[in-house]
Amino acid sequence: MMRSLFLQAPSFDGYDGGAGARYQMKREVKSFWYPTWLAQPAAMIEGSKLIDAPAHNLSWDDIAHEFDTRDLVILHTSTPSFNQDIRTARLIKERNPKILIAFVGAKVMIDDEASLKACEAIDLVCREEYDFTCVELAEGRPLAEIDGITWRAADGTIVRNKDRAAIEDMDILPMVSPIYKRDLDTSRYYGGYQRYPYVSFYTGRGCKSRCTFCLWPQTISGHRYRHQSVPKVIEEVKYILREMPEVNEIFFDDDTLADAHDFVVELSGALRELGFGTPGFRVTWGCNAKANVPYPVLKAMKEGGCRVLLVGYESGNQQILHNIKKGLRVDVARQFTKDAHALGLTIHGTFILGLPGETLETIEETIQYAKEIDPHTIQVSLAAPYPGTFLYKQAIENGWFDNEDHLLTDGGNQIAQLSYPHLPSSVIFEKVEEFYKRFYFRPSKIGSIVWEMLRDWDMMKRRLREGVEFFDFLSRRKEAAG
């Protein structure tokens, strides 16, 4: 077995773009997702090691020695971090010319040949679901025999092997939490709406929704939801409770876990049997949810200890939801939100400005909608045409952007890349700050946050820190606009 290192390379200060983040950027408040897409294959290879440099504030000098005794490096990359990542690849090769470097991630999957041509230090890229691809690489199999890779032959030619089939039995994948415990510091991972410390992992992959902007289902994971059995999920939950006692919340990071009603109800019941949702039980859980989960399912989730839902509302305008193929009605989303609030579930709502069909009027409609449904916290993003998505293809065909993959500033802040004849990108960019201020700077919202802080000293310290980070975020946005 090759001595294998899985790497999220050093990048922008505070850059949350690891192998698990859906939007790669510096966020409004400090936030880091667990690098699940690296931890999963790392758990399958004996003697492997995982380094998540951005979350642990590690520079090249901090990790350079790690490559002296390694045979294989699996480096996760993304469109925003690619240029930085190829610089790291060159440094690795200079230090150890014999090392084999493989890049993984949606960026290289959909742009495999160009990625190899961009950097001579990259030996191959892994496409599709790459867990078993990494295992076969570590086993030392000839590259010509490994499905799902595009590689550079000895004569310099680029060879594209056949696609790797999707994993059907998700139970064959090992737990990722032992890799977190072994290689990561859980205190380094934050979420603005999650209890701290938290742990996140996937119980399944794929999403049946067809949202035109969403990266993972259109590239690596696909639109067919495949999930583990409930006993398999419970096995990992038990491990976390036993071996990671510092954890206060578990986040099931499937694209939309609650879409599978029977599965999530069964899972909620099994979690209830472990003590989740009962008086005095300390650990809670959360998940991603589409804003159309029926009340009985939400009730079962709440009874099983669910505390928080991450909900992608995107827009308050029905036509925009149609334009992006969201498969969601605004009136249904309103009722879902009322049901969740009535059950005592906390909602972190996400919105996107600048989607196809956006106007000043629809932006105003979305701001009013957000204030009306009133999720506990929000995230407002700019429409990002990631290569490999339908939105990217649509933007190219309509001339909405210049075909340059500069989704972030040099400092890691998100920019408005789409621009329309009636609504320039500069206006869309400015509306994000207005959205945040009009949502949060309301007496009712300020009051609820202050009350939350007064009831919990740890929350007091956290919200004060996040407040400083949020105003710094607004300041950085002004610099980016300038």
Side-chain angles (χ1 to χ4, degrees):
M1 189 70 73
M2 299 174 76
R3 294 165 295 182
S4 305
L5 178 65
F6 290 82
L7 177 65
Q8 190 68 51
S11 190
F12 314 105
D13 178 38
Y15 173 69
D16 184 13
R22 288 173 174 80
Y23 273 85
Q24 298 92 30
M25 58 184 284
K26 288 178 70 170
R27 303 191 189 278
E28 301 86 339
V29 299
K30 183 183 289 186
S31 169
F32 286 107
W33 285 97
Y34 281 83
T36 314
W37 284 91
L38 283 178
Q40 190 72 77
M44 302 164 72
I45 298 172
E46 185 179 353
S48 69
K49 182 173 182 177
L50 170 61
I51 295 177
D52 186 7
H56 294 76
N57 197 29
L58 299 174
S59 68
W60 165 254
D61 289 338
D62 294 324
I63 64 172
H65 66 280
E66 296 281 359
F67 306 100
D68 295 342
T69 57
R70 299 287 172 177
D71 307 306
L72 172 65
V73 174
I74 308 290
L75 194 157
H76 177 268
T77 192
S78 63
T79 295
S81 69
F82 183 68
N83 288 334
Q84 177 64 36
D85 293 332
I86 62 177
R87 285 195 286 271
T88 299
R90 291 189 176 109
L91 289 170
I92 294 171
K93 281 285 190 180
E94 288 172 6
R95 183 144 185 137
N96 183 354
K98 295 182 180 179
I99 206 164
L100 187 70
I101 298 179
F103 271 38
V104 298
K107 157 68 179 176
V108 293
M109 175 186 166
I110 55 92
D111 206 10
D112 52 350
E113 185 171 339
S115 297
L116 284 167
K117 289 179 177 178
C119 179
E120 68 289 343
I122 306 173
D123 296 299
L124 69 141
V125 303
C126 303
R127 310 186 316 269
E128 296 90 46
E129 287 179 329
Y130 47 78
D131 311 85
F132 286 99
T133 303
C134 293
V135 172
E136 292 174 12
L137 285 169
E139 290 173 344
R141 293 195 189 186
L143 297 184
E145 299 177 8
I146 300 176
D147 292 350
I149 68 170
T150 304
W151 53 288
R152 194 190 315 277
D155 63 0
T157 58
I158 293 175
V159 182
R160 192 180 197 278
N161 294 1
K162 71 176 184 178
D163 293 347
R164 179 169 291 274
I167 299 170
E168 297 299 331
D169 180 8
M170 298 300 293
D171 278 5
I172 66 176
L173 295 175
M175 297 186 295
V176 295
S177 298
I179 303 302
Y180 297 164
K181 179 176 173 60
R182 185 191 72 186
D183 292 340
L184 306 179
D185 178 356
T186 56
S187 71
R188 298 282 186 165
Y189 294 88
Y190 304 82
Y193 50 90
Q194 290 151 334
R195 295 178 65 210
Y196 174 81
Y198 86 102
V199 160
S200 66
F201 67 92
Y202 293 86
T203 74
R205 295 176 182 171
C207 179
K208 68 180 183 181
S209 295
R210 300 279 171 169
C211 305
T212 61
F213 59 86
C214 195
L215 180 63
W216 295 109
Q218 296 185 75
T219 53
I220 292 177
S221 60
H223 289 290
R224 189 162 47 84
Y225 183 45
R226 299 149 287 137
H227 59 76
Q228 296 174 337
S229 64
V230 168
K232 178 70 174 180
V233 179
I234 294 299
E235 178 188 359
E236 184 146 12
V237 171
K238 286 181 176 178
Y239 175 89
I240 293 168
L241 295 177
R242 182 179 66 252
E243 302 294 336
M244 306 172 75
E246 74 278 11
V247 169
N248 286 316
E249 189 153 88
I250 298 170
F251 193 83
F252 301 119
D253 201 20
D254 308 36
D255 289 313
T256 43
L257 174 74
D259 267 1
H261 297 165
D262 292 343
F263 172 59
V264 77
V265 168
E266 182 186 354
L267 176 60
S268 299
L271 290 168
R272 175 80 176 181
E273 290 178 5
L274 288 182
F276 284 81
T278 59
F281 195 81
R282 179 179 55 82
V283 184
T284 52
W285 64 274
C287 67
N288 297 296
K290 199 168 180 178
N292 59 2
V293 183
Y295 180 86
V297 177
L298 289 174
K299 185 173 183 290
M301 293 167 66
K302 175 64 177 178
E303 291 171 348
C306 181
R307 184 193 68 86
V308 64
L309 301 175
L310 192 163
V311 181
Y313 293 101
E314 323 311 358
S315 175
N317 178 268
Q318 188 63 63
Q319 185 57 53
I320 288 179
L321 295 180
H322 289 324
N323 293 346
I324 62 173
K325 303 180 182 179
K326 183 70 181 177
L328 179 68
R329 293 203 333 248
V330 173
D331 60 327
V332 171
R334 280 192 175 95
Q335 186 59 51
F336 157 87
T337 308
K338 290 177 182 177
D339 291 342
H341 284 161
L343 288 165
L345 289 163
T346 296
I347 294 178
H348 176 73
T350 65
F351 299 86
I352 302 174
L353 297 187
L355 292 165
E358 195 80 276
T359 64
L360 287 174
E361 289 74 24
T362 61
I363 290 175
E364 179 62 25
E365 188 176 357
T366 299
I367 294 174
Q368 294 296 341
Y369 173 69
K371 290 163 63 178
E372 174 198 340
I373 61 175
D374 198 28
H376 185 58
T377 53
I378 63 169
Q379 174 182 308
V380 185
S381 300
L382 293 156
Y386 282 94
T389 63
F390 181 83
L391 179 61
Y392 181 88
K393 180 175 180 289
Q394 194 178 22
I396 294 294
E397 291 175 350
N398 289 278
W400 293 337
F401 83 125
D402 59 11
N403 199 19
E404 293 292 329
D405 296 337
H406 46 251
L407 295 166
L408 306 178
T409 66
D410 290 340
N413 298 306
Q414 194 182 32
I415 64 172
Q417 197 163 23
L418 299 186
S419 191
Y420 306 100
H422 63 281
L423 189 65
S425 58
S426 58
V427 173
I428 300 171
F429 184 88
E430 290 300 323
K431 285 292 180 178
V432 170
E433 180 174 342
E434 180 184 334
F435 197 146
Y436 274 122
K437 288 180 175 178
R438 290 174 61 187
F439 181 84
Y440 280 116
F441 297 171
R442 296 176 290 151
S444 59
K445 181 57 66 177
I446 292 171
S448 68
I449 292 174
V450 169
W451 177 239
E452 180 185 43
M453 293 164 63
L454 291 174
R455 288 181 297 163
D456 187 327
W457 174 243
D458 287 335
M459 185 59 72
M460 170 79 77
K461 292 184 292 185
R462 173 176 174 172
R463 291 303 187 210
L464 289 174
R465 172 183 60 78
E466 290 174 344
V468 172
E469 292 170 352
F470 179 71
F471 283 106
D472 178 64
F473 160 75
L474 295 181
S475 176
R476 285 188 277 110
R477 291 189 87 252
K478 287 186 172 64
E479 292 173 5

